[in-house]
Each structure stands twice: as structure tokens, then as C-alpha cells.
Amino acid sequence: MIPEKKIKHIEMIEAIIERMAKNSFQLKGWSMTLIAIVGAISTQGSDKRFILLAFIPIIGFWILDSFYLQQERKYKQLYKNVIAKDEAQIDFCLDTSTATGTTEEMKRLCFCSCLFSITELCFYPIIAVALIILVVVLKVF
């Protein structure tokens, strides 16, 4: 049976992981909304160069989403560490800098690893391509 202190600590970490995942999902939703708005406004006859401004928040969303992914991964590593602890070692510490793991596990916690992860590369570059297609189709320049 899992000790009560360990269960509470794990639940705290799970709540943080869930919050990070929700934030990441919301950023992806905002990115899609931004593309839809830019597409709708650009077909209304407004200044077509306005489309290019959409790249700035998309890049910002990508970086912020990568940060949330990095934090999520760090807390998952902390979760693994807490699972391996004995009841006497449970201190309710949520500091991810104390998380340990194999070299491969720790490499995944790097920001660049998160920025160019499969989930990020399958979404944000596609959004950028959609903007580029809008630019080409509407002949901004």
C-alpha cells in the first residue's frame, strides 16, 4: 500500500502537470484562432501586409508552448523521483531542479529539446506555412 504522504505529494505534482498540459493546449487553440482571424480580415480588403504581423505572436506562442512542455517534462521527472522515494524521504518539495534521472531523461528537459519536439514541430511550422500560403495567395508584395 502506498503511504498517505506519498499519495498527497504525487497528487500535487499531477495537478501541476495537468495545468501545464492545459496551458499548452490553450496556446495551440489561440494560434489556430489567430490564423482564422488573420485569414478572415485579410480577405476583407484590408492592408495585406497585416498578415506578416501574425508571425510575431505565432513565434511567441511557440516559445511559450515549449516552455510549458519543458516544465511538464521536469515535473514528470520529479514525479518519477517521488515514486521511487521511501515514506521517510517525502518532503513535499516541488523544486524541479532537484529531479534526477538518466542522461537521456535529463536531455529531454533541455529547452531546445522541447522547442524542436515532435509535438511542437508538427504544429507551429504548419501554422507558419499556412501564413506563408496566405501571403502568397493574397500577393502581399
Side-chain angles (χ1 to χ4, degrees):
M1 183 171 164
I2 301 175
E4 187 67 27
K5 281 176 63 176
K6 186 182 267 192
I7 290 172
K8 290 297 180 192
H9 195 184
I10 289 170
E11 286 174 351
M12 289 169 54
I13 296 170
E14 285 174 344
I16 294 169
I17 292 169
E18 183 179 344
R19 193 168 53 246
M20 296 299 158
K22 283 181 183 178
N23 289 342
S24 181
F25 182 76
Q26 285 180 329
L27 283 170
K28 287 178 173 69
W30 291 343
S31 297
M32 293 299 292
T33 303
L34 180 65
I35 293 301
I37 290 171
V38 167
I41 291 174
S42 63
T43 59
Q44 299 288 328
S46 64
D47 188 2
K48 305 295 186 221
R49 291 176 288 187
F50 163 71
I51 297 170
L52 297 176
L53 290 176
F55 279 103
I56 296 168
I58 295 297
I59 291 169
F61 288 157
W62 186 357
I63 291 169
L64 191 55
D65 194 8
S66 299
F67 169 76
Y68 285 129
L69 179 61
Q70 180 188 33
Q71 294 305 308
E72 184 180 337
R73 287 180 178 180
K74 285 180 177 181
Y75 279 103
K76 285 180 180 179
Q77 191 62 42
L78 183 64
Y79 179 93
K80 288 179 184 177
N81 291 167
V82 169
I83 291 290
K85 287 182 178 181
D86 293 328
E87 171 75 9
Q89 295 175 313
I90 301 297
D91 57 0
F92 294 98
C93 178
L94 296 175
D95 183 9
T96 57
S97 66
T98 62
T100 59
T102 64
T103 305
E104 205 53 43
E105 288 173 333
M106 299 313 280
K107 281 182 185 177
R108 291 189 71 232
L109 304 181
C110 170
F111 182 75
C112 289
S113 174
C114 294
L115 189 65
F116 297 109
S117 70
I118 292 172
T119 56
E120 302 297 299
L121 288 178
C122 287
F123 185 78
Y124 289 100
I126 291 172
I127 296 294
V129 168
L131 277 173
I132 291 168
I133 289 171
L134 251 136
V135 167
V136 170
V137 168
L138 296 173
K139 298 177 184 164
V140 173
F141 297 106

PDB file of all heavy atoms in Angstrom, residues 2 9 12 14 16 28 30 46-48 52 54 62 64 69 71-72 77 90 92 98 102-103 110-111 119 127 133 140:
ATOM      1  N   ILE A   2       0.474   2.233  -0.773  1.00  0.00           N
ATOM      2  CA  ILE A   2       1.247   3.469  -0.888  1.00  0.00           C
ATOM      3  C   ILE A   2       0.939   4.370   0.313  1.00  0.00           C
ATOM      4  O   ILE A   2      -0.218   4.604   0.630  1.00  0.00           O
ATOM      5  CB  ILE A   2       0.915   4.202  -2.201  1.00  0.00           C
ATOM      6  CG1 ILE A   2       1.226   3.313  -3.401  1.00  0.00           C
ATOM      7  CG2 ILE A   2       1.691   5.502  -2.293  1.00  0.00           C
ATOM      8  CD1 ILE A   2       0.814   3.892  -4.724  1.00  0.00           C
ATOM      9  N   HIS A   9       1.781  13.954  -2.167  1.00  0.00           N
ATOM     10  CA  HIS A   9       2.855  14.586  -2.942  1.00  0.00           C
ATOM     11  C   HIS A   9       2.662  14.299  -4.432  1.00  0.00           C
ATOM     12  O   HIS A   9       2.784  15.202  -5.265  1.00  0.00           O
ATOM     13  CB  HIS A   9       4.208  14.082  -2.453  1.00  0.00           C
ATOM     14  CG  HIS A   9       5.364  14.912  -2.914  1.00  0.00           C
ATOM     15  ND1 HIS A   9       6.655  14.573  -2.639  1.00  0.00           N
ATOM     16  CD2 HIS A   9       5.445  16.055  -3.635  1.00  0.00           C
ATOM     17  CE1 HIS A   9       7.473  15.464  -3.168  1.00  0.00           C
ATOM     18  NE2 HIS A   9       6.742  16.377  -3.781  1.00  0.00           N
ATOM     19  N   MET A  12      -0.137  16.403  -5.865  1.00  0.00           N
ATOM     20  CA  MET A  12       0.281  17.789  -6.086  1.00  0.00           C
ATOM     21  C   MET A  12       1.028  17.912  -7.409  1.00  0.00           C
ATOM     22  O   MET A  12       0.771  18.836  -8.191  1.00  0.00           O
ATOM     23  CB  MET A  12       1.173  18.257  -4.928  1.00  0.00           C
ATOM     24  CG  MET A  12       0.446  18.456  -3.630  1.00  0.00           C
ATOM     25  SD  MET A  12       1.555  18.706  -2.204  1.00  0.00           S
ATOM     26  CE  MET A  12       2.570  20.060  -2.717  1.00  0.00           C
ATOM     27  N   GLU A  14       0.864  15.826  -9.978  1.00  0.00           N
ATOM     28  CA  GLU A  14      -0.073  15.543 -11.073  1.00  0.00           C
ATOM     29  C   GLU A  14      -0.904  16.768 -11.428  1.00  0.00           C
ATOM     30  O   GLU A  14      -1.166  17.033 -12.605  1.00  0.00           O
ATOM     31  CB  GLU A  14      -0.995  14.385 -10.705  1.00  0.00           C
ATOM     32  CG  GLU A  14      -0.337  13.036 -10.752  1.00  0.00           C
ATOM     33  CD  GLU A  14      -1.236  11.914 -10.251  1.00  0.00           C
ATOM     34  OE1 GLU A  14      -2.263  12.201  -9.584  1.00  0.00           O
ATOM     35  OE2 GLU A  14      -0.903  10.751 -10.517  1.00  0.00           O
ATOM     36  N   ILE A  16      -0.013  19.890 -11.141  1.00  0.00           N
ATOM     37  CA  ILE A  16       0.856  20.824 -11.868  1.00  0.00           C
ATOM     38  C   ILE A  16       1.045  20.361 -13.308  1.00  0.00           C
ATOM     39  O   ILE A  16       0.966  21.166 -14.247  1.00  0.00           O
ATOM     40  CB  ILE A  16       2.212  20.974 -11.145  1.00  0.00           C
ATOM     41  CG1 ILE A  16       2.007  21.656  -9.795  1.00  0.00           C
ATOM     42  CG2 ILE A  16       3.207  21.754 -12.003  1.00  0.00           C
ATOM     43  CD1 ILE A  16       3.219  21.624  -8.896  1.00  0.00           C
ATOM     44  N   LYS A  28      -2.144  26.418 -28.318  1.00  0.00           N
ATOM     45  CA  LYS A  28      -2.392  25.895 -29.663  1.00  0.00           C
ATOM     46  C   LYS A  28      -3.744  26.387 -30.194  1.00  0.00           C
ATOM     47  O   LYS A  28      -3.880  26.730 -31.359  1.00  0.00           O
ATOM     48  CB  LYS A  28      -2.305  24.379 -29.673  1.00  0.00           C
ATOM     49  CG  LYS A  28      -0.864  23.876 -29.541  1.00  0.00           C
ATOM     50  CD  LYS A  28      -0.807  22.369 -29.506  1.00  0.00           C
ATOM     51  CE  LYS A  28       0.612  21.854 -29.536  1.00  0.00           C
ATOM     52  NZ  LYS A  28       1.386  22.106 -28.334  1.00  0.00           N
ATOM     53  N   TRP A  30      -5.236  29.214 -29.322  1.00  0.00           N
ATOM     54  CA  TRP A  30      -5.085  30.632 -29.636  1.00  0.00           C
ATOM     55  C   TRP A  30      -4.369  30.818 -30.973  1.00  0.00           C
ATOM     56  O   TRP A  30      -4.702  31.734 -31.733  1.00  0.00           O
ATOM     57  CB  TRP A  30      -4.320  31.353 -28.541  1.00  0.00           C
ATOM     58  CG  TRP A  30      -5.069  31.474 -27.245  1.00  0.00           C
ATOM     59  CD1 TRP A  30      -6.415  31.320 -27.039  1.00  0.00           C
ATOM     60  CD2 TRP A  30      -4.513  31.756 -25.972  1.00  0.00           C
ATOM     61  NE1 TRP A  30      -6.720  31.498 -25.721  1.00  0.00           N
ATOM     62  CE2 TRP A  30      -5.575  31.769 -25.034  1.00  0.00           C
ATOM     63  CE3 TRP A  30      -3.228  31.995 -25.519  1.00  0.00           C
ATOM     64  CZ2 TRP A  30      -5.377  32.023 -23.684  1.00  0.00           C
ATOM     65  CZ3 TRP A  30      -3.036  32.239 -24.172  1.00  0.00           C
ATOM     66  CH2 TRP A  30      -4.097  32.260 -23.271  1.00  0.00           C
ATOM     67  N   SER A  46      -8.413  44.610 -46.346  1.00  0.00           N
ATOM     68  CA  SER A  46      -7.512  45.428 -45.537  1.00  0.00           C
ATOM     69  C   SER A  46      -6.084  45.304 -46.065  1.00  0.00           C
ATOM     70  O   SER A  46      -5.810  44.552 -46.989  1.00  0.00           O
ATOM     71  CB  SER A  46      -7.585  44.997 -44.072  1.00  0.00           C
ATOM     72  OG  SER A  46      -7.130  43.675 -43.940  1.00  0.00           O
ATOM     73  N   ASP A  47      -5.187  46.034 -45.461  1.00  0.00           N
ATOM     74  CA  ASP A  47      -3.781  46.013 -45.878  1.00  0.00           C
ATOM     75  C   ASP A  47      -3.231  44.587 -45.730  1.00  0.00           C
ATOM     76  O   ASP A  47      -3.230  44.029 -44.643  1.00  0.00           O
ATOM     77  CB  ASP A  47      -2.980  46.983 -45.023  1.00  0.00           C
ATOM     78  CG  ASP A  47      -1.559  47.170 -45.509  1.00  0.00           C
ATOM     79  OD1 ASP A  47      -1.190  46.577 -46.543  1.00  0.00           O
ATOM     80  OD2 ASP A  47      -0.816  47.916 -44.848  1.00  0.00           O
ATOM     81  N   LYS A  48      -2.760  44.029 -46.813  1.00  0.00           N
ATOM     82  CA  LYS A  48      -2.302  42.637 -46.821  1.00  0.00           C
ATOM     83  C   LYS A  48      -1.024  42.429 -46.009  1.00  0.00           C
ATOM     84  O   LYS A  48      -0.746  41.334 -45.565  1.00  0.00           O
ATOM     85  CB  LYS A  48      -2.067  42.142 -48.261  1.00  0.00           C
ATOM     86  CG  LYS A  48      -3.268  42.299 -49.167  1.00  0.00           C
ATOM     87  CD  LYS A  48      -4.420  41.448 -48.721  1.00  0.00           C
ATOM     88  CE  LYS A  48      -5.544  41.507 -49.730  1.00  0.00           C
ATOM     89  NZ  LYS A  48      -6.842  41.582 -49.177  1.00  0.00           N
ATOM     90  N   LEU A  52       1.641  39.650 -42.132  1.00  0.00           N
ATOM     91  CA  LEU A  52       3.003  39.396 -41.659  1.00  0.00           C
ATOM     92  C   LEU A  52       3.136  39.630 -40.150  1.00  0.00           C
ATOM     93  O   LEU A  52       3.975  39.012 -39.501  1.00  0.00           O
ATOM     94  CB  LEU A  52       3.996  40.264 -42.427  1.00  0.00           C
ATOM     95  CG  LEU A  52       4.056  39.982 -43.939  1.00  0.00           C
ATOM     96  CD1 LEU A  52       4.989  40.955 -44.617  1.00  0.00           C
ATOM     97  CD2 LEU A  52       4.458  38.551 -44.211  1.00  0.00           C
ATOM     98  N   ALA A  54       1.190  38.620 -37.970  1.00  0.00           N
ATOM     99  CA  ALA A  54       0.736  37.408 -37.277  1.00  0.00           C
ATOM    100  C   ALA A  54       1.897  36.473 -36.940  1.00  0.00           C
ATOM    101  O   ALA A  54       1.765  35.630 -36.052  1.00  0.00           O
ATOM    102  CB  ALA A  54      -0.296  36.675 -38.122  1.00  0.00           C
ATOM    103  N   TRP A  62       4.858  29.698 -29.814  1.00  0.00           N
ATOM    104  CA  TRP A  62       5.715  28.527 -29.953  1.00  0.00           C
ATOM    105  C   TRP A  62       6.711  28.457 -28.786  1.00  0.00           C
ATOM    106  O   TRP A  62       6.907  27.413 -28.167  1.00  0.00           O
ATOM    107  CB  TRP A  62       6.423  28.559 -31.293  1.00  0.00           C
ATOM    108  CG  TRP A  62       7.235  27.349 -31.657  1.00  0.00           C
ATOM    109  CD1 TRP A  62       7.469  26.236 -30.899  1.00  0.00           C
ATOM    110  CD2 TRP A  62       7.913  27.118 -32.885  1.00  0.00           C
ATOM    111  NE1 TRP A  62       8.248  25.346 -31.580  1.00  0.00           N
ATOM    112  CE2 TRP A  62       8.541  25.860 -32.806  1.00  0.00           C
ATOM    113  CE3 TRP A  62       8.069  27.855 -34.046  1.00  0.00           C
ATOM    114  CZ2 TRP A  62       9.298  25.329 -33.838  1.00  0.00           C
ATOM    115  CZ3 TRP A  62       8.822  27.327 -35.080  1.00  0.00           C
ATOM    116  CH2 TRP A  62       9.423  26.067 -34.972  1.00  0.00           C
ATOM    117  N   LEU A  64       6.501  30.009 -25.840  1.00  0.00           N
ATOM    118  CA  LEU A  64       5.786  29.814 -24.577  1.00  0.00           C
ATOM    119  C   LEU A  64       5.282  28.380 -24.438  1.00  0.00           C
ATOM    120  O   LEU A  64       5.383  27.777 -23.363  1.00  0.00           O
ATOM    121  CB  LEU A  64       4.625  30.799 -24.481  1.00  0.00           C
ATOM    122  CG  LEU A  64       3.928  30.936 -23.143  1.00  0.00           C
ATOM    123  CD1 LEU A  64       4.917  31.276 -22.031  1.00  0.00           C
ATOM    124  CD2 LEU A  64       2.838  31.988 -23.227  1.00  0.00           C
ATOM    125  N   LEU A  69       5.929  22.861 -22.112  1.00  0.00           N
ATOM    126  CA  LEU A  69       6.312  21.468 -22.337  1.00  0.00           C
ATOM    127  C   LEU A  69       7.532  21.111 -21.499  1.00  0.00           C
ATOM    128  O   LEU A  69       7.598  20.038 -20.898  1.00  0.00           O
ATOM    129  CB  LEU A  69       6.591  21.217 -23.825  1.00  0.00           C
ATOM    130  CG  LEU A  69       7.032  19.811 -24.197  1.00  0.00           C
ATOM    131  CD1 LEU A  69       5.972  18.776 -23.831  1.00  0.00           C
ATOM    132  CD2 LEU A  69       7.354  19.744 -25.684  1.00  0.00           C
ATOM    133  N   GLN A  71       8.475  22.523 -18.650  1.00  0.00           N
ATOM    134  CA  GLN A  71       8.045  22.431 -17.249  1.00  0.00           C
ATOM    135  C   GLN A  71       7.295  21.131 -16.998  1.00  0.00           C
ATOM    136  O   GLN A  71       7.500  20.472 -15.974  1.00  0.00           O
ATOM    137  CB  GLN A  71       7.171  23.633 -16.879  1.00  0.00           C
ATOM    138  CG  GLN A  71       7.891  24.952 -16.895  1.00  0.00           C
ATOM    139  CD  GLN A  71       9.124  24.947 -16.014  1.00  0.00           C
ATOM    140  OE1 GLN A  71       9.080  24.585 -14.856  1.00  0.00           O
ATOM    141  NE2 GLN A  71      10.254  25.336 -16.582  1.00  0.00           N
ATOM    142  N   GLU A  72       6.433  20.748 -17.928  1.00  0.00           N
ATOM    143  CA  GLU A  72       5.692  19.491 -17.795  1.00  0.00           C
ATOM    144  C   GLU A  72       6.645  18.308 -17.702  1.00  0.00           C
ATOM    145  O   GLU A  72       6.492  17.428 -16.851  1.00  0.00           O
ATOM    146  CB  GLU A  72       4.759  19.337 -18.993  1.00  0.00           C
ATOM    147  CG  GLU A  72       3.869  18.132 -18.940  1.00  0.00           C
ATOM    148  CD  GLU A  72       2.962  18.030 -20.156  1.00  0.00           C
ATOM    149  OE1 GLU A  72       2.690  19.048 -20.812  1.00  0.00           O
ATOM    150  OE2 GLU A  72       2.537  16.901 -20.453  1.00  0.00           O
ATOM    151  N   GLN A  77       9.534  14.173 -14.452  1.00  0.00           N
ATOM    152  CA  GLN A  77      10.766  13.583 -13.912  1.00  0.00           C
ATOM    153  C   GLN A  77      10.740  13.619 -12.382  1.00  0.00           C
ATOM    154  O   GLN A  77      11.126  12.649 -11.733  1.00  0.00           O
ATOM    155  CB  GLN A  77      11.989  14.324 -14.453  1.00  0.00           C
ATOM    156  CG  GLN A  77      13.298  13.633 -14.170  1.00  0.00           C
ATOM    157  CD  GLN A  77      13.384  12.267 -14.812  1.00  0.00           C
ATOM    158  OE1 GLN A  77      12.984  12.073 -15.943  1.00  0.00           O
ATOM    159  NE2 GLN A  77      13.897  11.303 -14.084  1.00  0.00           N
ATOM    160  N   ILE A  90       9.842  11.646   1.828  1.00  0.00           N
ATOM    161  CA  ILE A  90       8.859  12.560   1.245  1.00  0.00           C
ATOM    162  C   ILE A  90       8.916  13.892   1.976  1.00  0.00           C
ATOM    163  O   ILE A  90       8.692  13.976   3.183  1.00  0.00           O
ATOM    164  CB  ILE A  90       7.430  11.967   1.315  1.00  0.00           C
ATOM    165  CG1 ILE A  90       7.352  10.641   0.580  1.00  0.00           C
ATOM    166  CG2 ILE A  90       6.400  12.950   0.791  1.00  0.00           C
ATOM    167  CD1 ILE A  90       7.614  10.719  -0.894  1.00  0.00           C
ATOM    168  N   PHE A  92       7.635  16.885   0.248  1.00  0.00           N
ATOM    169  CA  PHE A  92       6.704  17.753  -0.478  1.00  0.00           C
ATOM    170  C   PHE A  92       7.412  18.850  -1.260  1.00  0.00           C
ATOM    171  O   PHE A  92       6.833  19.896  -1.527  1.00  0.00           O
ATOM    172  CB  PHE A  92       5.638  18.345   0.454  1.00  0.00           C
ATOM    173  CG  PHE A  92       4.718  17.301   1.026  1.00  0.00           C
ATOM    174  CD1 PHE A  92       4.928  16.797   2.296  1.00  0.00           C
ATOM    175  CD2 PHE A  92       3.659  16.816   0.282  1.00  0.00           C
ATOM    176  CE1 PHE A  92       4.092  15.823   2.828  1.00  0.00           C
ATOM    177  CE2 PHE A  92       2.823  15.846   0.796  1.00  0.00           C
ATOM    178  CZ  PHE A  92       3.029  15.348   2.062  1.00  0.00           C
ATOM    179  N   THR A  98      15.799  19.691  -8.424  1.00  0.00           N
ATOM    180  CA  THR A  98      16.304  18.568  -7.635  1.00  0.00           C
ATOM    181  C   THR A  98      16.028  17.222  -8.303  1.00  0.00           C
ATOM    182  O   THR A  98      16.475  16.189  -7.812  1.00  0.00           O
ATOM    183  CB  THR A  98      15.675  18.562  -6.231  1.00  0.00           C
ATOM    184  OG1 THR A  98      14.261  18.398  -6.362  1.00  0.00           O
ATOM    185  CG2 THR A  98      15.979  19.844  -5.477  1.00  0.00           C
ATOM    186  N   THR A 102      18.388   9.526 -15.724  1.00  0.00           N
ATOM    187  CA  THR A 102      19.465   9.109 -16.616  1.00  0.00           C
ATOM    188  C   THR A 102      19.855  10.277 -17.513  1.00  0.00           C
ATOM    189  O   THR A 102      19.123  11.267 -17.618  1.00  0.00           O
ATOM    190  CB  THR A 102      19.021   7.920 -17.496  1.00  0.00           C
ATOM    191  OG1 THR A 102      17.961   8.354 -18.350  1.00  0.00           O
ATOM    192  CG2 THR A 102      18.570   6.737 -16.653  1.00  0.00           C
ATOM    193  N   THR A 103      20.967  10.153 -18.162  1.00  0.00           N
ATOM    194  CA  THR A 103      21.428  11.210 -19.068  1.00  0.00           C
ATOM    195  C   THR A 103      20.404  11.471 -20.157  1.00  0.00           C
ATOM    196  O   THR A 103      20.123  12.622 -20.499  1.00  0.00           O
ATOM    197  CB  THR A 103      22.781  10.806 -19.710  1.00  0.00           C
ATOM    198  OG1 THR A 103      23.696  10.499 -18.667  1.00  0.00           O
ATOM    199  CG2 THR A 103      23.332  11.914 -20.569  1.00  0.00           C
ATOM    200  N   CYS A 110      15.884  19.746 -21.656  1.00  0.00           N
ATOM    201  CA  CYS A 110      16.505  20.920 -22.262  1.00  0.00           C
ATOM    202  C   CYS A 110      15.448  21.704 -23.058  1.00  0.00           C
ATOM    203  O   CYS A 110      14.600  21.129 -23.734  1.00  0.00           O
ATOM    204  CB  CYS A 110      17.645  20.468 -23.164  1.00  0.00           C
ATOM    205  SG  CYS A 110      18.318  21.761 -24.209  1.00  0.00           S
ATOM    206  N   PHE A 111      15.517  23.038 -23.003  1.00  0.00           N
ATOM    207  CA  PHE A 111      14.538  23.866 -23.709  1.00  0.00           C
ATOM    208  C   PHE A 111      14.575  23.617 -25.216  1.00  0.00           C
ATOM    209  O   PHE A 111      13.523  23.546 -25.862  1.00  0.00           O
ATOM    210  CB  PHE A 111      14.767  25.354 -23.416  1.00  0.00           C
ATOM    211  CG  PHE A 111      13.768  26.250 -24.082  1.00  0.00           C
ATOM    212  CD1 PHE A 111      12.482  26.339 -23.579  1.00  0.00           C
ATOM    213  CD2 PHE A 111      14.094  26.974 -25.204  1.00  0.00           C
ATOM    214  CE1 PHE A 111      11.535  27.149 -24.189  1.00  0.00           C
ATOM    215  CE2 PHE A 111      13.162  27.779 -25.825  1.00  0.00           C
ATOM    216  CZ  PHE A 111      11.876  27.873 -25.310  1.00  0.00           C
ATOM    217  N   THR A 119       5.831  17.176 -31.090  1.00  0.00           N
ATOM    218  CA  THR A 119       4.542  17.859 -30.938  1.00  0.00           C
ATOM    219  C   THR A 119       4.611  19.323 -31.356  1.00  0.00           C
ATOM    220  O   THR A 119       3.657  19.846 -31.932  1.00  0.00           O
ATOM    221  CB  THR A 119       4.045  17.776 -29.479  1.00  0.00           C
ATOM    222  OG1 THR A 119       5.043  18.309 -28.618  1.00  0.00           O
ATOM    223  CG2 THR A 119       3.716  16.365 -29.097  1.00  0.00           C
ATOM    224  N   ILE A 127       1.515  26.025 -38.939  1.00  0.00           N
ATOM    225  CA  ILE A 127       0.845  27.319 -38.809  1.00  0.00           C
ATOM    226  C   ILE A 127       1.600  28.377 -39.617  1.00  0.00           C
ATOM    227  O   ILE A 127       1.005  29.181 -40.325  1.00  0.00           O
ATOM    228  CB  ILE A 127       0.750  27.736 -37.319  1.00  0.00           C
ATOM    229  CG1 ILE A 127      -0.120  26.772 -36.537  1.00  0.00           C
ATOM    230  CG2 ILE A 127       0.255  29.161 -37.177  1.00  0.00           C
ATOM    231  CD1 ILE A 127      -1.570  26.764 -36.934  1.00  0.00           C
ATOM    232  N   ILE A 133       1.347  30.668 -47.078  1.00  0.00           N
ATOM    233  CA  ILE A 133       0.414  30.424 -48.185  1.00  0.00           C
ATOM    234  C   ILE A 133      -0.562  31.583 -48.310  1.00  0.00           C
ATOM    235  O   ILE A 133      -0.864  32.037 -49.425  1.00  0.00           O
ATOM    236  CB  ILE A 133      -0.327  29.075 -47.981  1.00  0.00           C
ATOM    237  CG1 ILE A 133       0.647  27.934 -48.191  1.00  0.00           C
ATOM    238  CG2 ILE A 133      -1.527  28.958 -48.920  1.00  0.00           C
ATOM    239  CD1 ILE A 133       0.103  26.562 -47.813  1.00  0.00           C
ATOM    240  N   VAL A 140       0.859  39.665 -51.135  1.00  0.00           N
ATOM    241  CA  VAL A 140       1.107  40.784 -50.234  1.00  0.00           C
ATOM    242  C   VAL A 140       2.119  41.758 -50.834  1.00  0.00           C
ATOM    243  O   VAL A 140       1.985  42.962 -50.704  1.00  0.00           O
ATOM    244  CB  VAL A 140       1.593  40.262 -48.861  1.00  0.00           C
ATOM    245  CG1 VAL A 140       2.018  41.408 -47.974  1.00  0.00           C
ATOM    246  CG2 VAL A 140       0.490  39.471 -48.199  1.00  0.00           C
TER     247      VAL A 140
END
